[in-house]
Amino acid sequence: MKDMVKEIVDMDRKAREIMDEAQQEKLDSEKEISQMREKIREDYLAKARERIKLNEPQEREAAEKAWKAVEARQNEISAKLDAQYKENGKRWAEELARRVLNA
């Protein structure tokens, strides 16, 4: 009977040791996974920053070209409006005055 009790106690102790080891392995694995995840994240961000640095000059150049196109179009429209005003401004002013006074 004593041997049986001792055997049960030994088995229980061994089971607890195995459970403690398994729990410790689980904690170690979680910590390792967390560290790996952080390293992957940092590597990804570093690569993304590098891509941004490499693409920045092309993006700036494209934006500058787009701005110059818009600016040229605005200057063209402004010149047309100035020309129309120079040609028709006096007539437009007279027409407006006539409409206001006759209204």
Side-chain angles (χ1 to χ4, degrees):
M1 180 77 163
K2 284 184 179 184
D3 289 336
M4 191 179 264
V5 171
K6 183 179 184 247
E7 203 172 304
I8 292 172
V9 170
D10 286 344
M11 286 175 42
D12 183 56
R13 183 181 45 77
K14 235 181 199 344
R16 287 183 188 182
E17 287 175 4
I18 291 171
M19 288 294 292
D20 289 344
E21 288 175 14
Q23 185 67 24
Q24 187 61 45
E25 283 182 27
K26 179 183 174 190
L27 292 173
D28 291 344
S29 294
E30 287 174 351
K31 186 176 181 180
E32 185 179 340
I33 289 170
S34 177
Q35 290 172 345
M36 288 174 62
R37 183 179 64 230
E38 187 61 30
K39 183 179 180 338
I40 290 169
R41 180 180 175 277
E42 288 173 8
D43 290 347
Y44 178 80
L45 288 175
K47 287 177 184 176
R49 287 185 184 107
E50 188 62 30
R51 280 192 308 269
I52 289 170
K53 281 183 187 178
L54 292 175
N55 291 334
E56 185 179 13
Q58 293 89 353
E59 292 295 324
R60 283 192 186 277
E61 184 178 334
E64 189 66 31
K65 282 182 181 178
W67 169 247
K68 285 181 181 179
V70 168
E71 188 176 36
R73 179 74 177 131
Q74 287 176 344
N75 289 338
E76 181 183 317
I77 292 169
S78 179
K80 283 182 182 178
L81 289 174
D82 287 343
Q84 286 179 348
Y85 179 77
K86 189 174 185 179
E87 184 180 322
N88 301 315
K90 186 174 181 181
R91 187 171 50 90
W92 290 342
E94 289 171 357
E95 180 67 22
L96 283 172
R98 187 183 61 76
R99 287 185 183 187
V100 168
L101 294 174
N102 289 335

